[in-house]
Amino acid sequence: MAVSEPVQIQCAGAYSGTVTLPSLEVAGSVAQARQLISGRIGEGNSASVKLIAGGRTLEDDAKALTDYGVHSKTRLLVMRTARAAASAKLAAQESRAQRLARLKDAAAAVAARGDGSSWNDGAYEFALENQAGEGLRFDDPQDRKALVMGLALHEQGKQILEKEEYQEALDVLLLAEEAFEMCNPKHLDMVDNVGLLMIDIVWCYFQLRAIGQLAAGRARLDKAQGSLQRSHGPSGARMRRLHGNFCPELAIYVRLELLQGVAAFHSGDSKASLHLASALAKWQRLQVSDESLATLASMGFTTSQATRALRFCEGDTEQAASFAAEQAQLSKNRKADHKEQKKLRKEMRSYGATGSGKLVDAAGLQLLENMGFQRALAAEALKQNDNEGQAALDALADPKRAEQLQLAAYLTSATNTSAKVSPDPAALDTLLNMGFNRKSATTALQQCQDDQAKAVDTLVSWGQAARAAGSSDVGDVASGSGEAIGAAGTSVGQPAADAASLLAQALQSSKPGGDEAELPPPADESQEEDRDAEAEAELAAVVKDDPLAAYDVDVRQEGLAIQEYLMLLQQQQKQ
């Protein structure tokens, strides 16, 4: 008996591709084909998949495909039943709703954490700055939370908007609007983000051709215009003062006035032609010539840098070159500043949390260090006194309390697991040659960011603190033989946790009443075990540190829409 060869059948419709069947002639091959195809399109119920061949519906699963005239050259048309399509639509809606809920909860969690001054397990926090790079201050923390939440969701919505996924973008942008509404209006008047958000929402309605919403969107556009005028000043005067007479906001007004014209057109308002004419004039000012782009490219600027510069400078090549060079330097400075801030924050985290859960105040720490106090010792004083500068200074000035601080600082360093970066090998060799043991020298260099002089001061202070508490209990951080000998004869090769245990005992015995030493929160222990790290990372990934990025609008679609509605107006006038 001959064995039939597997057969490939071409499919079209709800599934486009091929399925391979052992045979077309055996009974039940219709059911087999239906099951294979339903699996390919993610339909759990194969009965919801309709198969058609040569105009005939393959209804009976018990039959062979050949009973319906199917052969190797047949193309099966695959359709989902109305019930299956409705089920898929419902599943997509549920998935989108779940995603929106996750994004909203993640934005709320990020916004609630503060501006980076609190100790946490490395979760995302947002610091708010104006376009001049100055931090924003709030009397009510709820206002800051609402503003951060709105900004984070707006950035996420804009990224989705760039993908032209307008319905999903609209869902997220409406959440951002809801968040902004919880913020005190006096804070919203200082930024143009609310105005930009209103424009983005109405742009989504326009792209979705939701004409009814466009007419109702006029209130949002009026709100946008008011917000931009307050933020940018009359005729953009404040923006020009801030950006050296450049016009970064021009593209925003093209979209705004286009949408105002479209909304007016569908409302029967005669102002439609005025809005569209103004939008067209601004759009024309934003066009850049290939020759100007080539000129800036020859100076080493990228296409995006050159395009932005020429638009912001209204086509003036000389001004654009100066602007692009200035922006490149500012971008470089921002990256350097952020790198230093990240490094400083990592250092502050290494000291642990104050009693109120804050990081050690970096400004207060620098002040105490400038007064001559060893950095780790000053950090411990600030930590134990909840960042109260005078109280920390009093503790440092008291010899007995200073000894306790020295022990606590060494204990913090010994138990800190966040410093994973290996120290500079040359600096480490120098300290080893000076007689310090490897473990202590490594810890000191990590804490002092490879500053050799500070590391030496730190090691000396630890040694003094250990001897003051009784070296028979603690061990020495330096010896001629390169080993630190403790009460039980332990050496420098012992784990840091063992050294910390000995220090804790010494610190406990040196404190009044024998209170236990407070350890810093472990860096790998999550304070928010149920936080949605994936959703938070998604929000953080879209945040830009470029203050002008919001004005980089690709106005090609706007240009086409302006022409379309100007033609509609002309046709309307002829009737």
Side-chain angles (χ1 to χ4, degrees), residues 140-295:
D140 186 346
Q142 291 303 315
D143 288 332
R144 182 194 174 281
K145 178 180 177 181
L147 190 56
V148 169
M149 187 173 175
L151 292 171
L153 289 168
H154 187 197
E155 288 297 325
Q156 181 67 28
K158 286 195 296 184
Q159 187 195 49
I160 301 171
L161 192 58
E162 289 175 4
K163 299 176 184 177
E164 300 186 1
E165 297 172 1
Y166 298 111
Q167 184 59 59
E168 186 176 351
L170 178 61
D171 292 338
V172 178
L173 294 172
L174 290 174
L175 287 181
E177 181 182 34
E178 180 184 317
F180 280 137
E181 287 173 352
M182 295 186 290
C183 185
N184 189 318
K186 73 176 184 180
H187 296 301
L188 300 180
D189 287 345
M190 298 187 299
V191 297
D192 62 4
N193 301 83
V194 175
L196 300 178
L197 173 64
M198 296 300 106
I199 294 171
D200 287 339
I201 289 174
V202 181
W203 182 251
C204 285
Y205 285 132
F206 173 69
Q207 292 292 354
L208 292 168
R209 294 299 185 262
I211 303 302
Q213 292 290 349
L214 272 177
R218 297 183 75 175
R220 282 194 174 95
L221 295 175
D222 290 343
K223 187 175 181 179
Q225 187 168 23
S227 172
L228 295 179
Q229 286 177 347
R230 286 190 296 273
S231 300
H232 299 166
S235 302
R238 191 173 297 126
M239 287 289 283
R240 289 189 229 316
R241 285 199 301 271
L242 183 61
H243 296 291
N245 209 35
F246 300 122
C247 309
E249 76 286 2
L250 198 58
I252 297 298
Y253 284 97
V254 170
R255 181 173 288 184
L256 171 63
E257 293 179 356
L258 161 64
L259 292 173
Q260 287 175 322
V262 171
F265 175 84
H266 289 291
S267 300
D269 190 332
S270 60
K271 291 182 180 178
S273 59
L274 294 176
H275 290 305
L276 291 169
S278 181
L280 178 61
K282 290 181 174 63
W283 179 83
Q284 289 171 338
R285 287 166 60 187
L286 286 171
Q287 304 311 299
V288 298
S289 69
D290 292 339
E291 182 181 354
S292 297
L293 283 173
T295 299

Side-chain angles (χ1 to χ4, degrees), residues 329-345:
Q329 185 59 48
L330 287 173
S331 176
K332 183 178 179 181
N333 293 344
R334 278 196 302 272
K335 289 178 181 179
D337 288 344
H338 291 168
K339 185 176 180 180
E340 285 301 313
Q341 290 171 10
K342 185 176 180 181
K343 181 179 178 181
L344 182 62
R345 178 167 167 74

Side-chain angles (χ1 to χ4, degrees), residues 97-150:
Q98 291 173 358
R99 171 173 159 75
L100 282 174
R102 286 182 64 196
L103 285 174
K104 183 177 180 180
D105 290 345
V110 169
R113 291 196 192 107
D115 58 0
S117 63
S118 299
W119 193 96
N120 64 49
D121 62 344
Y124 293 100
E125 294 183 348
F126 281 44
L128 296 178
E129 297 177 348
N130 59 22
Q131 290 192 352
E134 300 164 342
L136 301 182
R137 300 297 177 187
F138 300 85
D139 297 328
D140 186 346
Q142 291 303 315
D143 288 332
R144 182 194 174 281
K145 178 180 177 181
L147 190 56
V148 169
M149 187 173 175

Side-chain angles (χ1 to χ4, degrees), residues 445-519:
L445 285 169
Q446 287 172 330
Q447 180 173 303
C448 298
Q449 283 79 50
D450 288 331
D451 188 315
Q452 189 174 302
K454 289 182 179 179
V456 171
D457 291 342
T458 298
L459 288 163
V460 171
S461 70
W462 288 346
Q464 291 170 347
R467 286 190 290 273
S471 60
S472 61
D473 290 330
V474 182
D476 205 347
V477 295
S479 67
S481 62
E483 291 186 340
I485 307 299
T490 54
S491 72
V492 72
Q494 70 183 39
D498 296 337
S501 177
L502 293 175
L503 279 169
Q505 294 171 21
L507 183 59
Q508 180 179 352
S509 65
S510 68
K511 292 182 71 174
D515 295 334
E516 291 186 4
E518 292 185 6
L519 296 179

